[in-house]
Amino acid sequence: MAGRLIVVSNRIPEGPNPAGGLVVALKDAITEKNGTWIGAYGEPGEATDSFDELEGTPYRRLAFRLTAEEHSNYYLGFANSVLWPLCHRRVDLVELQPEYERDYLSVNRRLAAMILRILKPDDMLWIHDYHFLPLAQELRRLGVSNRIGFFLHIPFPSHADLSVLPQPETFAGWLADYNLVGLQTGADVARCLEMYRADPRAEFLPDGSVKFGMNILSVRSFPIGIDVDSFIESASRSAPSPFGREEPAKYIIGVDRLDYSKGIPNRFRAFGRFLENGGAEKRPCLVQIAPPTRERVKAYQDITRELEEIAGSLNGQFATLDWTPIRYIHRQIEREQLATLYRRASAALVTSLADGMNLVAKEFVAAQDPEDPGVLILSKFAGAAEQLTEALLVNPYDTDDIASAIDRALEMPLDERRRRHAFCMQAVRRTDVSLWSTQFLRVLERCMPTLNLPSSMGRGRYNLSAPPADLVAE
Ligand code: ADP
Ligand code: G6P
């Protein structure tokens, strides 16, 4: 396909070599396809109505700025105080404010108008994550008929939770204007289809796609992964210990943004239970790296406080002059250091209460020495559990279950560790991030572009898999 690839994500990649995440996933595809990455500046200021072109990357980067009010209402508000808790099964934390939704919609509308000005007819758009659910709808309103794909990095909400939105039916309508909706897991696809099954406007076609009004939408799972080879390379370098002379003899690692969805308090409590049950004799350490995130949202302030209290109380209860059971580091660390930390750990604890995928789980697996690998303890509620079935799968709500998995991980014989690791490593390779983006784009390219009908033929757009012969795309 000759057209350019235009990627939209809330965060614009910083600098020429940003570490990890979506940027690594898409850097090659976007460079090959003469692509453009659109995203917001991190800091709010004067709103921009046209993009600033940023220098210094092999692909084009176009940035826009949010006002302070938009940053509060669209980003911290609707995106992170409504959609994020809604999708992570924490409807108790949803904060409904009319100005949140108003600015969420208006930012999407403004962005659509800005994209229209740079768009060429054969460009393909790939929109990322919950910040931009209505973007296709806004683009279609402006007459855009290009192929538009969407990938939701976080869990798809349950039908029951969606009813917390003031107008739950808008959600199905937002997604229906995409040609392809990619989700992390089979379970996410099932929830999305359940939403359409319950919606009288939707109809299922024999090939499994959803006809919604004039639109036809494909919903498929594309489990995201990591850049496996580069992670293996970083982890296998013989780097000095990131702990200096303070390296614990045996440690378990946890690495997460300090988000309530990650179940970090549950993890600390379970580690406490393990220590109480005799684990303290083994003197292992739990090294928890948890950089702050979305700090202006109250739920994040609460979890930060809660975690400090639990860590303080467990250390008070168990620490000795030469052993601190929990080392809690509340900041971002270098990617190279992270790889080394994973490699030297005896186990990793991922205890998300809900998680789209959880890349930390895959990074940990890739970082291990296959001859003497550490053990992954993984929440069954992380998307990664659909693929990493030979990790020690745990129920993060069950303190005893996690505590006994910690014990089992630290006692696991070498041949069992090797066998489980080899299985997980295959799954990590199967979902390598370059395969992920290639597969998504290949499916999107095969979707028929949406056709704009002349108004004399009635309002509407068709993205039929076989376009009516008498209709021509505008
Ligand atoms: P989420 O996208 O919800 O934050 P993931 O586990 O899928 O969760 O991805 C998190 C990414 O951020 C991983 O690539 C991980 O290595 C990185 N990361 C998380 N915490 C840190 C940290 N303290 N320092 C450096 N990188 C981190
Ligand atoms: C998750 C979301 C991303 C988001 C990231 C960091 O991975 O899926 O869209 O960028 O968290 O969150 P932040 O709010 O700091 O961008």
Side-chain angles (χ1 to χ4, degrees):
M1 144 155 302
R4 301 173 307 173
L5 173 64
I6 298 187
V7 170
V8 183
S9 70
N10 182 54
R11 279 186 185 269
I12 191 141
E14 285 168 16
N17 292 312
L22 198 52
V23 185
V24 173
L26 294 177
K27 207 171 59 197
D28 289 345
I30 202 166
T31 309
E32 267 163 37
K33 289 180 192 287
N34 181 23
T36 298
W37 197 310
I38 295 174
Y41 284 112
E43 291 303 312
E46 283 277 294
T48 42
D49 278 325
S50 58
F51 295 116
D52 295 336
E53 182 144 6
L54 308 181
E55 308 271 302
T57 40
Y59 52 91
R60 201 170 169 220
R61 278 183 306 158
L62 299 179
F64 65 98
R65 205 177 285 284
L66 301 165
T67 63
E69 200 183 3
E70 285 171 342
H71 185 262
S72 282
N73 292 333
Y74 144 86
Y75 168 73
L76 294 170
F78 201 78
N80 286 311
S81 301
V82 178
L83 294 172
W84 180 273
L86 175 75
C87 292
H88 288 88
R89 296 188 217 129
R90 289 300 304 270
V91 286
D92 57 311
L93 296 178
V94 167
E95 276 183 57
L96 295 173
Q97 307 272 3
E99 61 273 22
Y100 288 178
E101 190 169 3
R102 180 200 66 202
D103 282 9
Y104 182 73
L105 294 174
S106 69
V107 166
N108 273 276
R109 190 164 311 134
R110 176 154 63 92
L111 185 57
M114 288 161 68
I115 292 174
L116 184 69
R117 273 182 246 134
I118 61 143
L119 201 62
K120 295 186 179 159
D122 55 356
D123 288 344
M124 200 160 69
L125 286 136
W126 190 0
I127 317 296
H128 289 266
D129 238 353
Y130 56 102
H131 313 87
F132 299 120
L133 291 162
L135 191 54
Q137 192 171 70
E138 295 297 343
L139 286 161
R140 301 297 187 210
R141 278 194 184 126
L142 298 173
V144 169
S145 56
N146 299 52
R147 287 182 182 81
I148 315 181
F150 178 78
F151 188 80
L152 184 67
H153 290 255
I154 66 175
F156 197 90
S158 73
H159 183 58
D161 286 350
L162 271 173
S163 55
V164 162
L165 290 175
Q167 291 161 312
E169 67 284 357
T170 51
F171 207 90
W174 287 339
L175 289 181
D177 269 314
Y178 290 97
N179 301 93
L180 173 64
V181 166
L183 302 169
Q184 297 277 25
T185 64
D188 291 307
V189 170
R191 283 192 293 273
C192 180
L193 296 182
E194 186 198 3
M195 173 187 75
Y196 281 114
R197 224 166 269 128
D199 193 315
R201 297 166 296 175
E203 201 184 303
F204 280 82
L205 299 181
D207 68 353
S209 51
V210 179
K211 182 168 183 298
F212 190 92
M214 296 297 190
N215 303 318
I216 291 177
L217 164 72
S218 285
V219 181
R220 295 206 17 196
S221 74
F222 299 88
I224 198 171
I226 60 166
D227 182 0
V228 182
D229 287 330
S230 96
F231 217 87
I232 292 179
E233 199 196 311
S234 305
S236 335
R237 272 186 213 134
S238 50
S241 167
F243 297 97
R245 276 180 301 174
E246 304 293 317
E247 176 151 355
K250 212 178 205 10
Y251 71 92
I252 301 163
I253 184 101
V255 176
D256 319 69
R257 280 179 309 102
L258 213 176
D259 196 291
Y260 50 80
S261 64
K262 303 291 181 184
I264 311 174
N266 307 41
R267 181 182 315 176
F268 280 16
R269 282 192 207 101
F271 185 64
R273 180 70 54 85
F274 159 78
L275 296 177
E276 266 163 30
N277 292 349
E281 281 166 28
K282 298 178 193 154
R283 293 161 60 98
C285 236
L286 172 58
V287 176
Q288 176 66 53
I289 319 275
T293 178
R294 307 169 195 165
E295 289 169 283
R296 278 178 50 207
V297 176
K298 183 171 175 299
Y300 289 83
Q301 296 162 4
D302 292 347
I303 186 97
T304 306
R305 211 171 313 115
E306 185 184 0
L307 217 53
E308 275 161 13
E309 280 167 19
I310 307 176
S313 133
L314 285 172
N315 279 340
Q317 191 181 344
F318 291 101
T320 56
L321 284 175
D322 57 353
W323 172 54
T324 310
I326 298 188
R327 290 204 203 171
Y328 169 40
I329 293 118
H330 187 41
R331 75 176 77 89
Q332 194 83 11
I333 64 163
E334 292 290 318
R335 209 162 172 72
E336 296 286 318
Q337 277 202 327
L338 197 60
T340 313
L341 275 177
Y342 287 140
R343 181 142 177 134
R344 300 167 88 102
S346 304
L349 260 175
V350 176
T351 52
S352 314
L353 307 176
D355 210 331
M357 179 52 60
N358 197 282
L359 293 178
V360 165
K362 294 188 175 181
E363 291 169 355
F364 176 78
V365 170
Q368 297 311 298
D369 173 0
E371 297 305 316
D372 185 16
V375 179
L376 174 63
I377 301 169
L378 176 62
S379 161
K380 61 181 181 178
F381 300 125
E386 262 195 20
Q387 300 121 48
L388 306 181
T389 49
E390 285 298 311
L392 290 184
L393 295 183
V394 291
N395 174 0
Y397 294 98
D398 184 340
T399 309
D400 286 325
D401 190 27
I402 306 177
S404 59
I406 297 174
D407 193 44
R408 197 169 159 203
L410 295 182
E411 295 298 320
M412 192 179 283
L414 180 62
D415 56 346
E416 183 178 353
R417 281 192 278 130
R418 282 189 186 150
R419 181 182 59 71
R420 287 179 181 271
H421 173 261
F423 181 95
C424 290
M425 195 59 210
Q426 276 180 0
V428 168
R429 282 213 176 273
R430 267 200 309 277
T431 58
D432 187 282
V433 76
S434 61
L435 293 174
W436 169 79
S437 58
T438 311
Q439 280 162 2
F440 183 95
L441 291 170
R442 199 177 293 145
V443 177
L444 180 58
E445 276 169 12
R446 284 205 300 256
C447 291
M448 278 302 291
T450 302
L451 298 181
N452 269 322
L453 280 180
S455 53
S456 59
M457 297 185 67
R459 194 196 165 277
R461 300 167 298 273
Y462 288 83
N463 56 356
L464 302 173
S465 36
D470 55 337
L471 293 181
V472 219
E474 271 181 4

